Amino acid sequence: MSMFQTIKEQAYEANMQIPAQKLAIYTWGNVSAFDPDAGVFAIKPSGVAYPKLTVDSMVVVDLDGKVVEGELNPSSDTNTHLVLYKEWAVKGGAKIGGIVHTHSTYAVAWAQAQRPIPLFGTTHADHIQSLVPCTPYITKDALTRNYELETGNLIVKHFADEGLHPAETTMVLVAGHGPFTWGASADKAVYNAAVLEEVAKMATITLQVNPAATQLPAYIIDKHYQRKHGPNAYYGQKK
Amino acid sequence: MSMFQTIKEQAYEANMQIPAQKLAIYTWGNVSAFDPDAGVFAIKPSGVAYPKLTVDSMVVVDLDGKVVEGELNPSSDTNTHLVLYKEWAVKGGAKIGGIVHTHSTYAVAWAQAQRPIPLFGTTHADHIQSLVPCTPYITKDALTRNYELETGNLIVKHFADEGLHPAETTMVLVAGHGPFTWGASADKAVYNAAVLEEVAKMATITLQVNPAATQLPAYIIDKHYQRKHGPNAYYGQKK
Amino acid sequence: MSMFQTIKEQAYEANMQIPAQKLAIYTWGNVSAFDPDAGVFAIKPSGVAYPKLTVDSMVVVDLDGKVVEGELNPSSDTNTHLVLYKEWAVKGGAKIGGIVHTHSTYAVAWAQAQRPIPLFGTTHADHIQSLVPCTPYITKDALTRNYELETGNLIVKHFADEGLHPAETTMVLVAGHGPFTWGASADKAVYNAAVLEEVAKMATITLQVNPAATQLPAYIIDKHYQRKHGPNAYYGQKK
Amino acid sequence: MSMFQTIKEQAYEANMQIPAQKLAIYTWGNVSAFDPDAGVFAIKPSGVAYPKLTVDSMVVVDLDGKVVEGELNPSSDTNTHLVLYKEWAVKGGAKIGGIVHTHSTYAVAWAQAQRPIPLFGTTHADHIQSLVPCTPYITKDALTRNYELETGNLIVKHFADEGLHPAETTMVLVAGHGPFTWGASADKAVYNAAVLEEVAKMATITLQVNPAATQLPAYIIDKHYQRKHGPNAYYGQKK
């Protein structure tokens, strides 16, 4: 049995949630699961359809981008995942155990529209306290250097510029491309991808019904986030 | 067997209709079933995913908010349910046997847009004779006192201000948050939640097709409501 | 066995297509099947959920509105069906063997918007050569006399006023209410209800993408209709 | 066994993907599979519902439009397929092994709106590097000569006029009608039909969220296309 069995299983299970939650069609989208102690992550192989995935087909990659286990090519987006783990989980100390990239319909539409998603309601505030940020387009220079790696850097820089923290704002739109989400586990990262798609759909309809819709007042945002995630959170069951 | 077996079963069955009718994803949404004689209601436990619910996991709460049966924490929205039962069913004498809160997509969007849903057609008039009201945002003071309890008070006050009666208008949008619906039973309350979502979707498309769409004439509203709910109702079968 | 077994079976099968094609939720919508020789039609019982329908529960009604077989109340919309069969099939000689009323989402939205559906493309022209007509609201006088019967008269009068023929234009929107469709058989009538819902959805998105979208040129409309329905039709297989 | 067994099986399998991917309802839509050596293609029989299709019911047609195998009438759109194979695969040398026509909702809406679909994002650029072209309406003269054959000519001429190449731009909208897509195989052609529908939906929502949304910068378009389809493509697995 692989010494990376746990993250391979986590990655497999979370990848299979992509079609189950209708977050992408065909081979689009990918999930990785990170082992911070080993400094490696397991990720979907590139271009393989979900029904053909197995635990064994997951590819294990280290933080230098070297494949340490697996016979298939890892996702073409592997270097984006790598940068986020390296910058945020390792250097930044954020508890990030999984990353997801999808082409879910509404989230992609907002990325294509190059608009951050306004915080219109409590469905959004239950999960993050900021709008869903949207990066600028990647520059031609960055793209030419290393497209996927620089996409990771673009996200990291945008969070720094906007004063956002990845442990709190667990999702981002890359302009013209689509969403990346993350979480304490691969499973939680897929949950956040589903939340983002639903929030994006709700925001679209909100603007359709009222183009002048306003952001939720700050005190309600804070209340909803705190009752789920704050030190005195009272949503859910005691762990 | 529990002395609250009946409402626990009603609450369980009705909660399971939330995912079946696609009115919320994951753990979002909650249903309660009220026993007016015992003065208690059974409600979904907080943060538990629908596939893991059982009749036994339902939490029984009295009208002072005390858990009288069940080992899990009740829904974080319990105090909102409590106020509506106390003010409308007990004090007001309205026949309310169940309450539902969901995050269904279109109803949430209208709540986020802070717009009551106009009464555009007979699908709406078959169920309620008024627009679907939308409260203002909860105030900071009220939120600070007791968020969920004051959300209940906000709804009750809005109905009084607008001259609406909960036995006739069985649904409301809480601004920036989402819908609450109710009915003579928990089962009927979920039915009303599904009606609201469909009515909200129809109204959205109506405005898209004709931004100047007008309300249904009062005599048609009255006819449709009366043929289903009036003293000479002739819709359906004799009971 | 009932002497009306055939139309009861046709009505049952066609009613069960309403939920199968997602043309209505719960008990909304109804289909009837007409026997022109016997001058009776079989129709869904009022307010009964689709999963509980059986062939035996279909109600047989004559053209005076008298129930000639069945123990349940017929659909509350029975008199609308009755008028269309009487005026169009019996008096007008049109080959109408089934009628459908649904609350399908997009068709209802256009009815609420009080807009006929423009003939934007060949999907529409493959089935009817006119726009999908939309009646005015029923008048208060007519509604007071006999709502459902006068809804039938409203449709018949609107077709006469607009110079439309029910054998060619097999669908209508009743303002503020929803669609009625018909066809040579109950099965064909439900097919037309599904066509209408799809055409209504396509027209909604067409206007969203291009608010100035124009009607399909007349020569293309004619070609598409004739290749399916004209004397030299070449769509499909020889009968 | 038929000497055309392979393309009949390919056509059958690909046609069954139309309802599976929800690209059309009832009998709408058709797929053909081409054998360039034999100069024939297998296509869906006209007006037959998908559940009733079999491999044996596929109709084999040569490039003069003569049925060389099969007892049913071929799709009424057969001559459109024929022109594209003849002009692009035989004369033009493009590797086209399958063609699809659907009435998928969003693609039809854009065709009805007579708007090419802008290249807003990487989901689009992963598949084609141009916008999705939209032909003008077919002229009355052309329609009168031979509607379906001239629809093929209209597409071929539009590609020439716009400087597009069918090996790169594998999809088109015919104004007022709907989409045609193609690919190296019938299976790939259906995949492109599903991609087009998703891209059309994403573009619709993009414009809804930002009516001034701009095209993806050329260097990102190029990068995404090349990483999947260029000489140094690194998406997917080695063949």
Side-chain angles (χ1 to χ4, degrees):
Chain A
M1 183 175 286
S2 164
M3 58 182 294
F4 307 118
Q5 190 69 12
T6 303
I7 54 172
K8 285 170 74 175
E9 285 175 4
Q10 289 168 346
Y12 169 74
E13 296 293 345
N15 270 293
M16 293 309 284
Q17 283 294 306
I18 299 283
Q21 300 288 341
K22 305 193 186 206
L23 297 172
I25 60 174
Y26 293 103
T27 64
W28 309 355
N30 44 72
V31 186
S32 66
F34 184 51
D35 178 340
D37 298 324
V40 300
F41 58 95
I43 193 165
K44 181 177 177 292
S46 183
V48 178
Y50 292 106
K52 298 199 176 166
L53 288 187
T54 60
V55 172
D56 282 347
S57 66
M58 295 296 115
V59 186
V60 182
V61 182
D62 70 17
L63 292 180
D64 297 322
K66 203 168 62 111
V67 171
V68 297
E69 189 173 295
E71 292 171 17
L72 299 170
N73 296 336
S75 164
S76 57
D77 297 308
T78 295
N79 278 333
T80 310
H81 293 239
L82 183 154
V83 170
L84 301 186
Y85 287 127
K86 199 189 268 187
E87 295 297 324
W88 286 345
V90 177
K91 292 191 192 164
K95 188 164 163 41
I96 297 178
I99 294 173
V100 176
H101 172 51
T102 79
H103 284 252
S104 69
T105 315
Y106 282 85
V108 164
W110 281 81
Q112 294 188 155
Q114 297 178 72
R115 282 189 67 174
I117 304 177
L119 201 169
F120 284 134
T122 61
T123 314
H124 185 142
D126 278 338
H127 300 93
I128 68 172
Q129 283 189 287
S130 67
L131 42 64
V132 180
C134 183
T135 71
Y137 285 136
I138 192 169
T139 64
K140 188 167 185 178
D141 275 0
L143 177 143
T144 306
R145 277 198 299 279
N146 184 327
Y147 175 49
E148 292 81 11
L149 197 131
E150 291 294 345
T151 296
N153 288 335
L154 176 69
I155 295 169
V156 170
K157 181 175 186 310
H158 189 65
F159 265 59
D161 290 349
E162 300 284 319
L164 297 170
H165 194 282
E168 286 169 3
T169 298
T170 53
M171 45 190 76
V172 70
L173 304 172
V174 175
H177 187 169
F180 284 82
T181 63
W182 49 89
S185 65
D187 184 61
K188 210 68 206 302
V190 177
Y191 171 79
N192 286 333
V195 168
L196 170 53
E197 180 63 6
E198 184 69 7
V199 162
K201 185 172 185 184
M202 286 171 169
T204 303
I205 304 166
T206 300
L207 286 176
Q208 196 172 331
V209 169
N210 182 2
T214 54
Q215 170 145 323
L216 196 64
Y219 60 91
I220 306 183
I221 295 173
D222 187 57
K223 175 67 182 177
H224 264 265
Y225 190 78
Q226 296 303 331
R227 78 172 187 164
K228 263 199 156 173
H229 306 282
N232 301 311
Y234 55 90
Y235 179 91
Q237 305 299 326
K238 285 185 198 73
K239 301 300 152 52
Chain B
M1 183 176 286
S2 164
M3 59 183 294
F4 307 118
Q5 189 70 11
T6 303
I7 53 171
K8 286 170 74 175
E9 285 176 3
Q10 289 168 348
Y12 170 74
E13 297 292 345
N15 270 294
M16 293 309 283
Q17 282 294 306
I18 298 282
Q21 300 288 341
K22 305 194 183 203
L23 298 172
I25 59 174
Y26 293 104
T27 64
W28 309 356
N30 44 72
V31 187
S32 66
F34 184 51
D35 178 341
D37 298 323
V40 300
F41 57 94
I43 193 164
K44 179 177 178 293
S46 183
V48 178
Y50 292 105
K52 297 200 176 166
L53 287 187
T54 60
V55 172
D56 282 347
S57 65
M58 296 297 115
V59 186
V60 182
V61 182
D62 70 16
L63 292 180
D64 296 322
K66 202 167 63 105
V67 171
V68 298
E69 188 173 297
E71 291 172 18
L72 299 169
N73 296 337
S75 164
S76 56
D77 297 309
T78 294
N79 277 334
T80 310
H81 293 240
L82 182 154
V83 169
L84 301 185
Y85 286 128
K86 198 189 269 188
E87 295 297 323
W88 286 345
V90 177
K91 292 192 191 164
K95 188 163 164 39
I96 297 179
I99 295 173
V100 175
H101 171 52
T102 79
H103 284 251
S104 69
T105 315
Y106 282 85
V108 165
W110 281 80
Q112 293 187 156
Q114 297 179 71
R115 283 188 66 174
I117 304 177
L119 202 170
F120 284 135
T122 61
T123 314
H124 184 142
D126 278 338
H127 300 93
I128 68 172
Q129 285 190 285
S130 67
L131 41 65
V132 180
C134 182
T135 71
Y137 286 134
I138 192 169
T139 64
K140 189 168 186 177
D141 275 1
L143 177 143
T144 308
R145 276 198 299 279
N146 183 327
Y147 176 48
E148 293 81 9
L149 197 130
E150 292 294 344
T151 296
N153 288 335
L154 176 69
I155 295 170
V156 170
K157 181 174 187 311
H158 190 65
F159 265 58
D161 289 350
E162 300 284 319
L164 297 169
H165 194 282
E168 286 170 2
T169 298
T170 54
M171 45 191 77
V172 70
L173 304 172
V174 175
H177 187 168
F180 285 83
T181 63
W182 48 90
S185 65
D187 184 62
K188 209 68 206 300
V190 178
Y191 171 80
N192 286 333
V195 168
L196 170 53
E197 180 64 6
E198 184 69 7
V199 163
K201 185 172 184 184
M202 287 172 170
T204 304
I205 304 166
T206 300
L207 286 175
Q208 196 172 330
V209 169
N210 182 2
T214 54
Q215 169 145 323
L216 195 64
Y219 60 90
I220 306 182
I221 295 173
D222 187 57
K223 175 67 182 176
H224 264 265
Y225 190 78
Q226 296 302 332
R227 78 171 186 164
K228 264 201 155 172
H229 305 282
N232 302 311
Y234 54 90
Y235 179 91
Q237 305 300 326
K238 286 186 199 71
K239 302 298 151 56
Chain C
M1 184 175 285
S2 163
M3 57 183 294
F4 307 118
Q5 190 68 12
T6 303
I7 53 171
K8 286 170 74 174
E9 285 177 4
Q10 290 168 347
Y12 169 74
E13 296 292 345
N15 270 294
M16 294 308 285
Q17 283 293 306
I18 299 282
Q21 300 288 341
K22 305 193 184 203
L23 298 172
I25 59 173
Y26 293 104
T27 64
W28 308 354
N30 44 72
V31 187
S32 66
F34 184 50
D35 178 341
D37 297 323
V40 300
F41 58 94
I43 193 165
K44 180 176 178 293
S46 183
V48 178
Y50 292 105
K52 298 200 175 165
L53 288 187
T54 60
V55 172
D56 282 346
S57 65
M58 296 296 117
V59 186
V60 182
V61 182
D62 70 17
L63 292 181
D64 296 322
K66 202 167 62 105
V67 171
V68 297
E69 189 172 296
E71 291 171 18
L72 298 171
N73 297 337
S75 164
S76 57
D77 296 310
T78 295
N79 278 334
T80 310
H81 293 239
L82 183 155
V83 169
L84 301 186
Y85 286 128
K86 199 189 269 189
E87 295 297 324
W88 285 346
V90 177
K91 292 191 193 165
K95 189 164 164 37
I96 298 179
I99 295 173
V100 175
H101 172 52
T102 79
H103 283 251
S104 69
T105 314
Y106 282 85
V108 165
W110 281 81
Q112 293 188 157
Q114 297 178 72
R115 282 188 67 173
I117 304 177
L119 201 171
F120 284 135
T122 61
T123 315
H124 185 143
D126 278 339
H127 299 94
I128 67 172
Q129 283 189 285
S130 67
L131 40 63
V132 180
C134 183
T135 71
Y137 285 136
I138 192 169
T139 64
K140 190 167 185 180
D141 275 0
L143 176 144
T144 307
R145 276 198 298 279
N146 183 326
Y147 175 50
E148 292 82 9
L149 197 131
E150 292 294 344
T151 297
N153 287 336
L154 176 70
I155 294 170
V156 170
K157 181 174 186 311
H158 190 66
F159 266 59
D161 289 351
E162 300 285 319
L164 297 169
H165 193 283
E168 285 170 3
T169 299
T170 53
M171 45 190 76
V172 70
L173 304 172
V174 175
H177 188 166
F180 284 84
T181 62
W182 49 91
S185 64
D187 184 62
K188 210 67 207 298
V190 178
Y191 171 79
N192 287 333
V195 167
L196 170 53
E197 180 63 6
E198 183 69 7
V199 162
K201 184 171 185 185
M202 286 171 169
T204 304
I205 303 166
T206 300
L207 287 175
Q208 196 172 328
V209 169
N210 182 1
T214 54
Q215 168 144 323
L216 195 65
Y219 60 90
I220 305 182
I221 295 173
D222 187 57
K223 176 67 182 178
H224 264 265
Y225 191 78
Q226 296 302 330
R227 80 172 185 165
K228 263 201 157 172
H229 305 282
N232 301 312
Y234 54 90
Y235 179 90
Q237 306 299 326
K238 284 184 200 72
K239 301 298 151 57
Chain D
M1 184 175 284
S2 164
M3 57 184 293
F4 307 118
Q5 190 68 14
T6 304
I7 53 171
K8 286 171 74 176
E9 286 177 3
Q10 289 168 346
Y12 169 74
E13 296 292 345
N15 270 292
M16 294 309 284
Q17 283 294 306
I18 299 283
Q21 299 288 340
K22 305 194 185 204
L23 297 173
I25 60 174
Y26 294 104
T27 64
W28 309 356
N30 44 73
V31 186
S32 66
F34 184 51
D35 178 341
D37 298 323
V40 300
F41 57 95
I43 192 165
K44 179 176 178 292
S46 182
V48 178
Y50 291 104
K52 298 199 176 166
L53 288 186
T54 60
V55 172
D56 282 347
S57 66
M58 296 296 116
V59 186
V60 182
V61 182
D62 70 18
L63 292 180
D64 297 322
K66 202 168 63 110
V67 171
V68 298
E69 189 173 296
E71 291 171 18
L72 298 170
N73 296 336
S75 164
S76 57
D77 296 309
T78 294
N79 278 334
T80 309
H81 294 240
L82 182 155
V83 169
L84 301 186
Y85 286 128
K86 199 189 267 186
E87 296 297 323
W88 285 345
V90 177
K91 291 191 193 163
K95 187 163 164 39
I96 297 178
I99 295 172
V100 175
H101 172 52
T102 79
H103 284 251
S104 70
T105 315
Y106 282 85
V108 165
W110 281 81
Q112 294 188 155
Q114 297 178 72
R115 282 189 66 173
I117 304 177
L119 202 170
F120 284 134
T122 61
T123 314
H124 184 142
D126 278 338
H127 299 93
I128 68 172
Q129 284 190 286
S130 66
L131 42 63
V132 180
C134 183
T135 71
Y137 284 136
I138 192 169
T139 64
K140 189 167 185 178
D141 274 1
L143 176 143
T144 307
R145 277 198 298 279
N146 183 326
Y147 175 50
E148 292 82 9
L149 196 131
E150 292 293 344
T151 296
N153 288 334
L154 175 70
I155 294 169
V156 170
K157 180 174 187 311
H158 189 66
F159 266 59
D161 290 350
E162 301 285 319
L164 297 170
H165 194 283
E168 286 170 3
T169 299
T170 54
M171 46 189 76
V172 70
L173 304 172
V174 175
H177 187 168
F180 285 83
T181 63
W182 49 90
S185 64
D187 184 61
K188 209 69 206 298
V190 178
Y191 171 79
N192 286 333
V195 168
L196 170 53
E197 180 63 6
E198 184 68 8
V199 162
K201 185 173 184 183
M202 287 172 169
T204 303
I205 304 166
T206 300
L207 287 176
Q208 196 173 330
V209 169
N210 182 2
T214 54
Q215 170 145 323
L216 196 65
Y219 60 90
I220 306 182
I221 295 173
D222 188 58
K223 175 67 182 179
H224 264 264
Y225 191 79
Q226 296 302 331
R227 81 172 184 165
K228 262 200 157 172
H229 306 282
N232 302 311
Y234 54 90
Y235 179 91
Q237 305 299 327
K238 284 184 200 74
K239 302 298 150 57

